[in-house]
Amino acid sequence: MTDSPFYETPTFATIEQLKTGKIEQVDHYQLTWNNFLLLTKYQNNQTFVLLNNGFRLVINRSIKQVLRDFSHTNHCYARCNIPYYEMLGERNPIKSYVAGRNRLVPSMGTNNAEVVYYMAKPMKMHYYSEQQQGMMLMFETSKFAINVMVPAYANKFQKILAQADEISHMHLLELREKLLRYGMEEECNCLVNEYFLHSELTKKAYEIKRHVYGYVLNTLYESLYGERMGDQEMRRLLDILFDTWKR
């Protein structure tokens, strides 16, 4: 296997740029949770793969076949994910492949030809670029680092990733409970999805802060006018208090 040209410039690439140039083609390749960063459609019945060492491959199989092979190879079956998505209460969620901290997440609806499946575990940061109209994904492994721009809508991208993180958290809770029953308390300390926990704590702190300010405003309003503030007025005041800073 020859060196990828992106060993020379591993700082930034769009998906289309990654697909250009000479890329090795194979009929089969065993993908695991730890040996690739992303995959997407290449041409008809072909799938482009960026490995975690910077090598690029085209597998001569459709993305649906590649994902099915990945699922079987890594024992990520329907029972490992679908019941958990049902618990989230979403009627038609866009499903990721999740096994604990391992998350293979689609960037958008899976029927979209531009969908990119990316590994969330080696992704160190992500943000929406207004200029590029897509999500910048920043990957880092022990062998390789690259920033990849993928087509995606920010809100949809974040929602799909957040659901995958929540299911990851559920898996780890189950594992934590089993280890506790087996007397392995020390091994439990690291069994969390830190991104999910951080998001939940931030959300909870924000809700508490809004409630406290609401109490203060209502108490003041009631002392001045003898009645509590209406719900609509309260929401408007809180929105003003917690609006983002603008120049």
Side-chain angles (χ1 to χ4, degrees):
M1 189 179 292
T2 57
D3 283 354
S4 162
F6 283 91
Y7 260 129
E8 301 171 8
T9 55
T11 55
F12 169 82
T14 65
I15 287 293
E16 293 308 313
Q17 287 171 335
L18 284 172
K19 291 180 179 179
T20 59
K22 187 176 180 180
I23 306 174
E24 185 169 350
Q25 296 193 17
V26 296
D27 291 331
H28 297 278
Y29 193 87
Q30 184 167 308
L31 297 174
T32 69
W33 292 112
N34 298 314
N35 70 357
F36 76 103
L37 299 177
L38 59 84
L39 61 83
T40 188
K41 181 180 177 181
Y42 187 68
Q43 294 179 5
N44 289 335
N45 296 317
Q46 288 183 313
T47 301
F48 171 85
V49 182
L50 176 64
L51 300 180
N52 71 346
N53 59 3
F55 291 129
R56 297 174 298 152
L57 289 176
V58 169
I59 302 176
N60 295 321
R61 294 170 69 79
S62 70
I63 191 169
K64 184 178 289 187
Q65 291 172 316
V66 168
L67 288 169
R68 187 182 299 118
D69 292 343
F70 170 84
S71 178
H72 285 297
T73 297
N74 297 281
H75 309 289
C76 190
Y77 307 122
R79 62 177 170 79
C80 303
N81 285 260
I82 291 178
Y84 299 87
Y85 273 102
E86 290 177 348
M87 289 181 66
L88 299 184
E90 289 283 338
R91 293 189 61 184
N92 296 299
I94 297 172
K95 300 179 181 68
S96 306
Y97 294 78
V98 184
R101 287 202 183 100
N102 295 318
R103 289 148 288 151
L104 179 60
V105 186
S107 59
M108 58 179 66
T110 55
N111 291 326
N112 194 312
E114 292 188 310
V115 63
V116 175
Y117 284 83
Y118 64 94
M119 284 293 183
K121 188 177 177 183
M123 184 176 67
K124 303 305 178 184
M125 189 183 298
H126 63 278
Y127 65 87
Y128 183 73
S129 169
E130 291 283 354
Q131 183 178 5
Q132 298 284 341
Q133 294 291 294
M135 295 297 300
M136 174 70 80
L137 312 185
M138 306 171 75
F139 296 103
E140 184 179 336
T141 72
S142 60
K143 305 173 183 178
F144 183 64
I146 189 170
N147 300 342
V148 183
M149 180 64 65
V150 305
Y153 296 105
N155 290 341
K156 195 73 168 179
F157 181 96
Q158 296 285 11
K159 183 176 181 179
I160 297 169
L161 178 58
Q163 289 180 332
D165 283 329
E166 187 165 0
I167 289 171
S168 166
H169 187 66
M170 291 180 191
H171 285 182
L172 294 171
L173 281 178
E174 286 185 293
L175 180 55
R176 183 186 180 93
E177 188 273 335
K178 180 175 286 188
L179 289 175
L180 282 170
R181 282 192 287 114
Y182 288 175
M184 302 173 69
E185 292 86 357
E186 292 183 3
E187 288 79 358
C188 293
N189 294 333
C190 62
L191 289 179
V192 294
N193 182 305
E194 292 180 2
Y195 183 84
F196 173 78
L197 280 183
H198 175 74
S199 299
E200 288 298 296
L201 287 171
T202 301
K203 188 193 308 180
K204 189 64 178 177
Y206 181 74
E207 290 173 358
I208 292 170
K209 194 176 293 186
R210 283 181 68 96
H211 184 78
V212 170
Y213 274 90
Y215 167 80
V216 172
L217 289 169
N218 244 329
T219 303
L220 175 62
Y221 192 89
E222 194 169 8
S223 69
L224 291 173
Y225 304 108
E227 60 182 7
R228 294 178 66 82
M229 195 181 303
D231 291 341
Q232 186 176 353
E233 289 79 5
M234 174 62 73
R235 281 195 299 271
R236 288 177 63 185
L237 271 173
L238 290 174
D239 287 344
I240 291 170
L241 276 170
F242 291 97
D243 192 13
T244 54
W245 180 72
K246 298 175 182 177
R247 295 192 177 195

